[in-house]
Amino acid sequence: MRLLLDTDDDRTVHRAACAWADAARGKITADPTPNTTSPAYLALDVLRAMGRAGFSHQGAERMSTDPAWRAVTCWSLATGIREVIVLRAHRLTVERLRRLAAWRTETNIRLTLVAHAPEGADVRRLVEHLAAAQLTDMVHVGGTVEVLAAIGPAATDRLTGPPPSDHAQPLPAVPRASVAAFRAQCWRRQNGADFARTDAQYRAGYAAARIWWARTLPLKPPTSTSAEETDHLTESTEPTPFGLRETEALRLFLSRLTVLSPSPAHTVARVRGAQAGLLTRAVLLNVPDDLTRRAGPGITTVPLTPRTVHTITTHLPNPLRAAAIAALLFTGTASPLLAMTQIASIDEEATQIAIDRDARINIGAPPTPRHLYTIPPRARPLLAAALEFRRRTPRTAPAHGLFANCFGTTPRLNALIADAGLAVPALNHPHTTDDWHTAARGWHLHTPTLPAPDVLAHLSPGCR
């Protein structure tokens, strides 16, 4: 920990500290609001330095001292903040210094305090406050030249402003056909460029399904080898439905396959490809006929692009609310179901959400497959920060709701949507039935030969 004494009160020091900061590389400079002594204001100043300034606009949610400092700690851990400079340190109270000391202990950041104190009395008072806050392991640096050298050079290639607007190449209307006829109908109805884009999505689903099956649910070797036994097996054995764990794995795979789909047409093409890929492994995947009218991943979701994540983190400094709006966007499910998410519903790596709705509604009933949703990579820091925030909240248990304070009432939900400033397609869907991927079913086909060719046929648009 360092204390830089700018005894000349040189503006060059202030500008150098601000130019050094680069939140994307884990370095921030916090400039405390003048004429305030509240520890909560200092926490908000630190959040603003991280780029989370959504509390500034009129009507936004306000955070008190303890939640604000929990948010600072959780965002620091989730986003990799390593170095922090705090300006105007000569005006910090003992309580503010204690909060900084606790933040430093919990996150192991490298903390630098810059005191713009031309008067000796200011320096003596600061030293007394540091001792009262038990910040005694300080390295003192004095003089403008030495202070500038201690701060370091300005950040290069620093990104400012929001990322560029999102853009996705649209797909043409896809036919409402079964897996057996889908690709051929696309080939007949679409021109060469459109078919190439549709077929790329189809092939992506085809390859993903085959890889997923090989890695997670490998086929068991056949136990019958003679022709007579094989004929008997073909005649008498009915398709075997997936078991509990297989169904959950299937739901998670379908969510992972479609969570970043830019449109329902992309989702349909990927799902049809996945059905074809599983057929080459003697597995039948059945999805609802009204796929595009259902809710769920790839249908009522919004891809979490860099611009979308930037909007969420800028507008919602509270980790719980940021994770809640992100979950609404990438699950596409109904808010009452998402409100059932418990702290234990998120795995430690923040890669998936598992909501056991039936067990909570029908207590004592036999277990049924859970509602599983994959968490896209860009949303994982948001969910990780939310988990840390809830675990650090007093009197918290793993069975407590993660988003209880976000979806509990209609006013809370409306306030969340207003603060986020993003359209949420899932809120405009009636959700009269289960999400499409939870209504999907899988069967093992006990056939002596594969029900579909192992390689996709080559369809050339020039051969029409």
Side-chain angles (χ1 to χ4, degrees), residues 223-308:
T223 56
S224 300
T225 56
S226 66
E228 182 179 352
E229 291 175 334
T230 299
D231 292 341
H232 176 72
L233 183 65
T234 304
E235 294 175 358
S236 62
T237 305
E238 295 293 331
T240 303
F242 276 15
L244 176 65
R245 296 309 173 197
E246 290 177 319
T247 300
E248 289 188 345
L250 177 64
R251 292 178 176 182
L252 188 60
F253 162 70
L254 293 175
S255 173
R256 187 183 302 117
L257 177 68
T258 58
V259 67
L260 297 179
S261 290
S263 71
H266 288 77
T267 298
V268 172
R270 294 181 188 183
V271 172
R272 294 301 184 220
Q275 289 179 288
L278 290 177
L279 276 177
T280 66
R281 295 296 180 258
V283 174
L284 176 63
L285 169 60
N286 189 14
V287 297
D289 293 334
D290 55 344
L291 182 61
T292 57
R293 297 185 180 181
R294 292 284 187 118
I299 305 297
T300 53
T301 55
V302 174
L304 289 187
T305 61
R307 190 177 184 90
T308 302

Side-chain angles (χ1 to χ4, degrees), residues 23 62 75 86 110 174 208 318 333 387 413 451:
R62 295 292 186 264
W75 284 127
V86 179
R110 184 189 184 193
V174 294
N318 186 319
T333 193
L387 287 174
L413 179 59

Side-chain angles (χ1 to χ4, degrees), residues 183-408:
R183 188 164 179 256
Q185 288 194 21
C186 289
W187 177 70
R188 286 193 296 268
R189 297 180 183 183
Q190 299 174 357
N191 60 40
D194 289 345
F195 175 73
R197 292 197 300 270
T198 304
D199 198 43
Q201 298 296 317
Y202 183 93
R203 287 177 177 273
Y206 180 89
R210 287 163 58 94
I211 294 172
W212 167 74
W213 182 258
R215 289 180 176 176
T216 61
L217 298 172
L219 289 173
K220 297 180 180 179
T223 56
S224 300
T225 56
S226 66
E228 182 179 352
E229 291 175 334
T230 299
D231 292 341
H232 176 72
L233 183 65
T234 304
E235 294 175 358
S236 62
T237 305
E238 295 293 331
T240 303
F242 276 15
L244 176 65
R245 296 309 173 197
E246 290 177 319
T247 300
E248 289 188 345
L250 177 64
R251 292 178 176 182
L252 188 60
F253 162 70
L254 293 175
S255 173
R256 187 183 302 117
L257 177 68
T258 58
V259 67
L260 297 179
S261 290
S263 71
H266 288 77
T267 298
V268 172
R270 294 181 188 183
V271 172
R272 294 301 184 220
Q275 289 179 288
L278 290 177
L279 276 177
T280 66
R281 295 296 180 258
V283 174
L284 176 63
L285 169 60
N286 189 14
V287 297
D289 293 334
D290 55 344
L291 182 61
T292 57
R293 297 185 180 181
R294 292 284 187 118
I299 305 297
T300 53
T301 55
V302 174
L304 289 187
T305 61
R307 190 177 184 90
T308 302
V309 174
H310 177 271
T311 301
I312 293 173
T313 55
T314 301
H315 291 184
L316 299 171
N318 186 319
L320 288 181
R321 304 181 85 226
I325 196 70
L328 276 174
L329 293 177
F330 70 74
T331 62
T333 193
S335 57
L337 175 63
L338 205 56
M340 296 183 182
T341 305
Q342 300 174 338
I343 297 175
S345 299
I346 314 292
D347 63 328
E348 287 300 322
E349 292 76 23
T351 60
Q352 66 182 47
I353 296 177
I355 305 174
D356 197 357
R357 182 192 66 176
D358 295 337
R360 296 187 63 180
I361 295 177
N362 304 311
I363 300 176
T368 56
R370 297 168 295 174
H371 293 247
L372 289 162
Y373 300 86
T374 190
I375 301 174
R378 291 193 183 99
R380 290 170 190 172
L382 306 182
L383 271 296
L387 287 174
E388 281 292 329
F389 190 91
R390 288 293 288 155
R391 288 167 179 165
R392 292 171 182 271
T393 302
R395 298 179 296 279
T396 296
H400 288 176
L402 181 62
F403 304 128
N405 294 331
C406 305
F407 303 138

